[in-house]
């Protein structure tokens, strides 16, 4: 299959850029820009030395401060089945950062130019669930670029020249050692240290990290008992405090929850990012601390949503989306709805689940691409969890029977999906509440198109065909 012209051009440019120093060096492993509260930009760098790299802002030298000092990510105390797992050895790294002044026009770290935020981003890439699954009985062939195509997806997304990248969570998947009888993942790093994080995310995402600033949502793979230590060291936009670092299991009640924040998009529009990492698809029992934690999250969402007329919410777990599973014996397919824990906690305060001016929810978690729009007063849901992790293969229907709903009171008017296909989603703004959405395969080819107007959306295809080779 031929590559789009824009991808061929971008790959050529990337090769030239590599000669100019954009490739990681032995000391500088990665450099990138993260957006946080009110769109504040932070330059980050990950190095293998005890000194932070040099940074220049508009031609003037500045200082990067240490976010987390040079060390291997410490092993947490292990309980249950984790006690019997091999203890992985991982490389020490240091995380450095510098807040960037609004209006900065040129920033470089160790000679590498960083992408800077624009006032009104009009071209947005949405990706999620990007890592290579190594856990339990499920092992992906991480060494096979066809089976784990995230680097290819990232290069294609970078070639689209976005103003902003949104990752809807689940960056880290290499938790267990590759079995001896699986050559497809032989030699892969595993565990929660830098080597696994680098193989899963930073190395394959290199081209896309260099293309635009990132907004990152936290997934269930980034809770404290999983990849939370790396999440806090490398990705979370807030200051890193010892009590929130996930190093101490006794303080997980702090490290597992973060406050929502907004990223302005200009034109009376904004992103509203919230942390759903530690929710449960089973819902919560009385007395569970998460009942109050997520109730508190909702109350803060209500306040933040009022800052703009049009809001696109971003989290990991879909509230208004569908998933499908098949009974192994009967082969019967069962459709299930949104996350029970968030529906339980948010719904106890607001039956709509999100504030009134939230038009769209961007999520991941389900390993497919999906769109759902409603005739009731509920936001459009997009699920973009198809960028690298082994895909869900049980198909969603082209439409659901009347009365079938992902959330209480939500009446489906249109839906679309693509299963068993890797790629990325793009959003191009036409107005504050109007967007053109395109679903691309791993090489950047268009596989479906949608339009968003306010809280409603429509797509050209109800189901993207599975048969077309990627």
């Amino acid at each position: 299959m031929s590559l789009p012209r824009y991808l061929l051009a971008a790959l050529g440019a990337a090769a030239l850029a590599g000669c100019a120093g954009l490739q990681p060096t032995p000391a500088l492993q990665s450099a990138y820009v993260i957006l946080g509260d009110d769109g504040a930009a932070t330059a980050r760098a990950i190095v293998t030395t005890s000194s932070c790299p040099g940074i220049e802002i508009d031609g003037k030298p500045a200082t990067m401060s240490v976010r987390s000092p040079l060390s291997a990510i410490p092993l947490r105390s292990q309980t249950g089945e984790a006690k019997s797992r091999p203890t992985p050895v991982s490389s020490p790294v240091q995380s450095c950062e510098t807040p960037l002044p609004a209006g900065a026009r040129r920033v470089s770290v160790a000679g590498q130019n960083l992408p800077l935020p624009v006032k009104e981003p009009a071209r947005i890439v949405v990706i999620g669930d990007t890592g290579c699954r190594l856990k339990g009985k499920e092992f992906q062939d991480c060494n096979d670029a066809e089976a784990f195509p995230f680097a290819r997806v990232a290069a294609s997304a970078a070639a689209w020249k976005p103003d902003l990248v949104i990752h809807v969570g689940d960056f880290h998947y290499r938790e267990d050692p590759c079995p001896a009888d699986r050559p497809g993942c032989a030699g892969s790093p595993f565990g929660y240290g830098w080597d696994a994080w680098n193989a899963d995310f930073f190395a394959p995402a290199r081209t896309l990290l260099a293309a635009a600033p990132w907004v990152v949502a936290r997934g269930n793979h980034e809770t404290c008992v999983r990849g939370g230590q790396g999440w806090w060291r490398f990705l979370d936009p807030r200051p890193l405090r010892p009590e929130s670092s996930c190093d101490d299991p006794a303080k997980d009640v702090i490290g597992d929850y973060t406050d929502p924040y907004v990223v302005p998009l200009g034109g009376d529009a904004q992103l509203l990012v919230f942390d759903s990492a530690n929710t449960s698809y089973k819902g919560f029992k009385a007395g569970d601390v998460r009942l109050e934690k997520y109730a508190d999250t909702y109350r803060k969402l209500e306040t933040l949503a009022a800052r703009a007329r049009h809001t696109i919410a971003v989290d990991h777990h879909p509230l208004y989306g569908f998933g499908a599973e098949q009974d192994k014996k009967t082969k019967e397919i069962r459709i299930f709805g949104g996350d029970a824990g968030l529906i339980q906690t948010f719904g106890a305060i607001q039956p709509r689940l999100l504030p009134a001016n939230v038009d769209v929810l961007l999520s991941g978690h389900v390993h497919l691409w999906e769109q759902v729009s409603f005739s009731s007063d509920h936001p459009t849901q997009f699920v973009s969890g198809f960028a690298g992790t082994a895909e869900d293969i049980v198909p969603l229907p082209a439409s659901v029977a009347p009365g079938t709903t992902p959330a209480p009171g939500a009446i489906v008017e249109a839906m679309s999906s693509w299963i068993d296909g890797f790629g990325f989603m793009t959003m191009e703004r036409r107005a504050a509440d109007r967007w053109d959405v395109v679903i691309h395969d791993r090489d950047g080819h268009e596989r479906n198109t949608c339009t968003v107007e306010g809280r409603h959306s429509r797509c050209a295809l109800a189901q993207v065909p599975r048969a077309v080779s990627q």
Side-chain angles (χ1 to χ4, degrees), residues 215-400:
V215 169
V216 291
R218 186 181 188 180
N220 57 293
H221 282 245
E222 288 81 53
T223 57
C224 283
V225 297
R226 303 180 83 175
Q229 293 167 289
W231 163 263
W232 275 107
R233 282 163 168 78
F234 308 136
L235 293 174
D236 194 283
R238 303 163 187 82
L240 175 58
R241 303 169 303 175
E243 63 270 24
S244 65
S245 67
C246 293
D247 288 349
D248 182 357
K251 296 179 180 177
D252 286 357
V253 72
I254 300 172
D256 267 335
Y257 308 95
T258 56
D259 287 342
Y261 59 94
V262 297
V263 176
L265 296 175
D268 211 8
Q270 65 181 1
L271 299 178
L272 177 54
V273 186
F274 65 99
D275 182 349
S276 66
N278 205 35
T279 186
S280 171
Y281 72 93
K282 296 179 180 179
F284 305 124
K285 296 179 180 179
D288 193 314
V289 68
R290 291 173 288 184
L291 288 169
E292 177 50 38
K293 289 289 187 181
Y294 289 117
D296 181 64
T297 292
Y298 181 84
R299 289 189 288 267
K300 289 171 179 172
L301 290 174
E302 192 84 62
T303 299
L304 292 170
R307 293 189 182 182
R309 185 177 178 186
H310 301 289
T311 295
I312 297 173
V314 179
D315 87 320
H316 182 61
H317 294 83
L319 291 172
Y320 313 101
F322 291 106
E325 60 184 9
Q326 188 172 37
D327 187 281
K328 293 181 180 179
K329 293 182 178 179
T330 67
K331 305 302 180 184
E332 180 181 355
I333 294 177
R334 183 183 75 86
I335 304 297
F336 56 88
D339 181 79
L342 295 180
I343 289 174
Q344 178 184 358
T345 50
F346 289 6
I349 303 171
Q350 167 58 266
R352 188 182 190 261
L353 305 180
L354 288 174
N357 63 331
V358 174
D359 298 328
V360 177
L361 176 61
L362 305 177
S363 308
H365 193 57
V366 189
H367 299 165
L368 46 71
W369 175 84
E370 179 183 1
Q371 165 266 351
V372 191
S373 184
F374 304 93
S375 59
S376 52
D377 180 28
H378 291 82
T380 278
Q381 172 79 69
F382 284 99
V383 178
S384 187
F386 67 125
T389 301
E391 297 291 341
D392 292 347
I393 60 173
V394 179
L396 289 172
S399 61
V400 293

Side-chain angles (χ1 to χ4, degrees), residues 16 22 25 29 47 53 68 90 93 98 104 106 110 157 160 169 184 217 230 235 239 303 313 444 449:
L16 293 174
L22 292 183
T25 67
Q29 299 294 291
V47 296
S68 60
S90 192
V93 292
T98 299
R106 185 178 182 276
W160 188 75
L235 293 174
T303 299
T449 59

